[in-house]
């Protein structure tokens, strides 16, 4: 797989220059030891609000299939590798007379997997990205060396994520099966799409945004998918960051690999929302979600809100961890 191709937009500013010293920031809001950021908004009242959205009891799982052995494999950020899983014990051991005998004749299968923790549907740890030597809550970026000693995925996994989710279907809103490469939208587009869907994005909603770009991965070839790689998605502006802060959005979930347009079309910077939303506001990012089945159901009966639940794996010092979120509507 090719490495990310950086577009030629002149010399981009540093992240600090782009965002500015007065960029919205939630460091310290939940104390000096906080590691879950805006997930603090998801309290017992938020869980009950989510549960109150359940009408039909239909459930949807949002993880893509992981470690798919055949072409095209799994959609990945360029440079990452797909999960490798192989059997270390199976019936072949007993066929060859190598299997251990247990009283009663028990046989079993075991396997081992090597995975990029960001290599499937996943939660990013709040310390997963940074600039200027500081991660979420002002912890020193050196806390990432050899393992995330601060702001790892573990506290997120220990807490779990439960609340009211709202799905904004940007692809449907724009009349497309999937957004084009590098196609952008912002908070005003989200609100316009919400209005067209007849739903309101409320404070503390878990925000799910469908672009159709992960489904596009399964429809096209890896060559075409990665050519001039620039995913569609939310695009940086100060107003958008202020909107996320004002709306107290705890968690952004998308069907793209990295939740935002890969390169900011104005500055050329890569992933400025990872920095302004995750590093600075503590908004948790969930990527590579499968949203098509949920979107179909929501479109069919016009209900775009539901109970969203998720808990990534409790990976100690992890920069992120796979997850299979469950939505109940
Ligand atoms: C990067 O941080 C590069 O991407 P992601 O958030 O998808 O893991």
């Amino acid at each position: 797989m090719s490495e990310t191709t950086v577009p030629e937009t002149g010399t981009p500013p540093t992240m600090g220059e782009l965002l500015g010293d007065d960029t919205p920031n939630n460091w310290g809001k939940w104390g000096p030891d906080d590691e879950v950021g805006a997930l603090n908004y998801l309290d017992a009242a938020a869980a009950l609000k989510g549960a109150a959205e359940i009408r039909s009891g239909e459930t949807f799982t949002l993880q893509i299939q992981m470690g798919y052995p055949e072409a095209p494999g799994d959609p990945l950020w360029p440079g990452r590798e797909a999960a490798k899983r192989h059997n270390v014990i199976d019936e072949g051991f007993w066929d060859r007379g190598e299997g251990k005998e247990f009283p009663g004749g028990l046989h079993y299968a075991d396997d081992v997997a090597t995975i990029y923790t960001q290599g499937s549907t996943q939660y990013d740890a709040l310390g997963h990205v940074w600039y200027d030597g500081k991660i979420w809550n002002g912890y020193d970026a050196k806390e990432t060396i050899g393992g995330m000693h601060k702001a790892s995925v573990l506290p997120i996994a220990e807490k779990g994520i439960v609340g009211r989710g709202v799905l904004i279907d940007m692809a449907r809103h724009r009349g497309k099966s999937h957004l084009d490469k590098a196609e952008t939208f912002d908070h005003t587009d989200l609100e316009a799409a919400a209005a067209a869907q007849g739903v309101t994005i409320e404070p503390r909603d878990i925000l799910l945004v469908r672009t159709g770009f992960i489904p596009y991965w399964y429809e096209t070839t890896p060559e075409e998918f990665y050519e001039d790689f620039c995913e569609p998605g939310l695009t940086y502006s100060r107003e958008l960051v202020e909107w996320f802060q004002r709306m107290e959005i705890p968690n952004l979930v998308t069907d793209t690999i990295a939740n935002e347009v890969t390169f900011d079309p104005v500055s050329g910077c890569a992933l400025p929302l990872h920095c302004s939303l995750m590093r600075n506001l503590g908004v948790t990012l969930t990527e590579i979600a499968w949203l098509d089945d949920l979107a179909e159901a929501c479109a069919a009966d016009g209900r775009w809100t539901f109970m969203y639940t998720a808990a990534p794996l409790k990976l100690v010092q992890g920069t992120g961890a796979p997850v299979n979120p469950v939505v109940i509507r």
Side-chain angles (χ1 to χ4, degrees), residues 129-153:
V129 301
W130 62 90
Y131 63 96
D132 287 354
K134 299 276 185 204
I135 61 173
W136 160 248
N137 220 23
Y139 300 122
D140 195 309
K142 290 190 171 43
E143 298 286 0
T144 67
I145 294 174
M148 306 282 304
H149 305 288
K150 293 284 183 189
S152 79
V153 77

Side-chain angles (χ1 to χ4, degrees), residues 124-126 129 136 273-274 276-283 285:
D124 278 342
L126 287 185
V129 301
W136 160 248
L273 293 181
H274 274 58
S276 51
L277 299 184
M278 184 160 71
R279 173 202 186 258
N280 293 343
L281 296 187
V283 176
L285 301 186

Side-chain angles (χ1 to χ4, degrees), residues 242-315:
E242 288 169 353
W243 182 85
F244 267 83
Q245 189 180 41
R246 191 169 61 250
M247 292 294 286
E248 301 184 339
I249 300 295
N251 187 185
L252 173 66
V253 182
T254 75
D255 62 347
T256 58
I257 295 171
N259 268 10
E260 61 178 300
V261 65
T262 311
F263 301 104
D264 171 26
V266 178
S267 68
C269 283
L271 305 183
L273 293 181
H274 274 58
C275 295
S276 51
L277 299 184
M278 184 160 71
R279 173 202 186 258
N280 293 343
L281 296 187
V283 176
T284 309
L285 301 186
T286 309
E287 298 159 327
I288 322 183
W290 182 260
L291 300 178
D292 273 30
D293 298 313
L294 176 62
E296 279 301 312
C298 293
D301 64 8
R303 287 194 295 119
W304 295 92
T305 54
F306 36 77
M307 184 179 195
Y308 174 98
T309 69
L313 300 181
K314 295 187 180 182
L315 187 62

Side-chain angles (χ1 to χ4, degrees), residues 11-280:
T11 307
T14 65
M15 201 64 76
E17 287 167 348
L18 175 68
L19 305 185
D21 290 340
D22 59 347
T23 189
N25 185 297
N26 285 337
W27 292 1
K29 183 179 171 100
W30 296 284
D33 300 323
D34 180 75
E35 297 179 286
V36 299
L39 291 183
N40 282 290
Y41 294 130
L42 296 181
D43 55 12
L48 291 172
K49 187 175 176 185
E53 294 292 335
I54 299 174
R55 300 280 186 281
S56 59
E58 292 163 275
T59 60
F60 297 85
T61 57
L62 305 189
Q63 188 181 16
I64 61 162
Q65 294 180 5
M66 183 179 188
Y68 205 74
E70 289 148 28
D74 300 349
L76 296 164
W77 177 260
R80 292 183 183 147
E81 290 173 19
K84 294 184 187 64
R85 186 208 58 76
H86 68 275
N87 281 72
V88 289
I89 299 178
D90 54 29
E91 181 65 0
F93 280 68
W94 283 274
D95 284 351
R96 295 188 298 272
E98 295 168 10
K100 190 172 155 93
E101 298 303 330
F102 288 92
L106 176 86
H107 292 186
Y108 63 93
D110 268 357
D111 51 17
V112 169
T114 308
I115 59 166
Y116 268 77
T117 53
Q118 266 87 2
S120 181
T121 314
Q122 41 89 19
Y123 270 78
D124 278 342
L126 287 185
H128 172 52
V129 301
W130 62 90
Y131 63 96
D132 287 354
K134 299 276 185 204
I135 61 173
W136 160 248
N137 220 23
Y139 300 122
D140 195 309
K142 290 190 171 43
E143 298 286 0
T144 67
I145 294 174
M148 306 282 304
H149 305 288
K150 293 284 183 189
S152 79
V153 77
L154 183 62
I156 292 173
E158 295 280 8
K159 175 169 171 50
I161 298 98
V162 182
R164 187 181 105 131
V166 58
L167 175 62
I168 304 302
D169 193 338
M170 283 307 299
R172 191 177 301 263
H173 183 60
R174 292 192 174 167
K176 297 175 166 186
S177 60
H178 62 84
L179 299 189
D180 298 326
K181 287 180 183 173
E183 183 171 346
T184 62
F185 52 90
D186 66 11
H187 58 297
T188 62
D189 297 307
L190 290 177
E191 288 192 322
Q197 291 174 199
V199 70
T200 304
I201 304 170
E202 294 185 0
R204 304 191 176 191
D205 273 351
I206 297 163
L207 179 58
L208 286 72
V209 183
R210 178 177 170 271
T211 68
F213 207 64
I214 288 297
Y216 167 62
W217 158 265
Y218 293 100
E219 290 157 15
T220 187
T221 60
E223 290 73 27
E224 192 176 305
F225 186 84
Y226 289 113
E227 188 182 6
D228 298 326
F229 182 75
C230 188
E231 290 195 294
L234 282 167
T235 188
Y236 169 76
S237 68
R238 173 63 69 94
E239 293 74 23
L240 177 136
V241 180
E242 288 169 353
W243 182 85
F244 267 83
Q245 189 180 41
R246 191 169 61 250
M247 292 294 286
E248 301 184 339
I249 300 295
N251 187 185
L252 173 66
V253 182
T254 75
D255 62 347
T256 58
I257 295 171
N259 268 10
E260 61 178 300
V261 65
T262 311
F263 301 104
D264 171 26
V266 178
S267 68
C269 283
L271 305 183
L273 293 181
H274 274 58
C275 295
S276 51
L277 299 184
M278 184 160 71
R279 173 202 186 258
N280 293 343

